[in-house]
Amino acid sequence: MSKRVMIAAGGVVVGLILIPLIGFLPALLVLIGLPVIGYLMLDRSQRRRLRHIGRRELR
């Protein structure tokens, strides 16, 4: 399996574990909110670099 597939599968597993524990909407907020918070923590130059490079170059 590729690294990208393993990360996606891990996200699905975490989501399925969180739903019964904390409910659907809080789990959805966690799964969407964490990547958004991570993006907002980047510097302006890091965000610009992330937007301009292709997804294949992120490795």
Side-chain angles (χ1 to χ4, degrees):
M1 272 203 253
S2 72
K3 187 175 183 179
R4 192 175 289 182
V5 171
M6 289 181 6
I7 291 172
V12 169
V13 170
V14 168
L16 291 174
I17 291 171
L18 284 177
I19 287 174
L21 294 177
I22 63 174
F24 177 73
L25 287 178
L28 187 64
L29 289 174
V30 167
L31 290 175
I32 292 174
L34 288 178
V36 170
I37 290 171
Y39 177 77
L40 292 175
M41 288 175 61
L42 297 173
D43 296 85
R44 184 181 303 163
S45 63
Q46 290 172 325
R47 286 188 214 155
R48 189 178 324 118
R49 213 170 102 202
L50 189 61
R51 276 185 300 213
H52 288 296
I53 61 174
R55 291 198 178 265
R56 292 182 184 235
E57 298 175 23
L58 284 177
R59 297 178 188 180

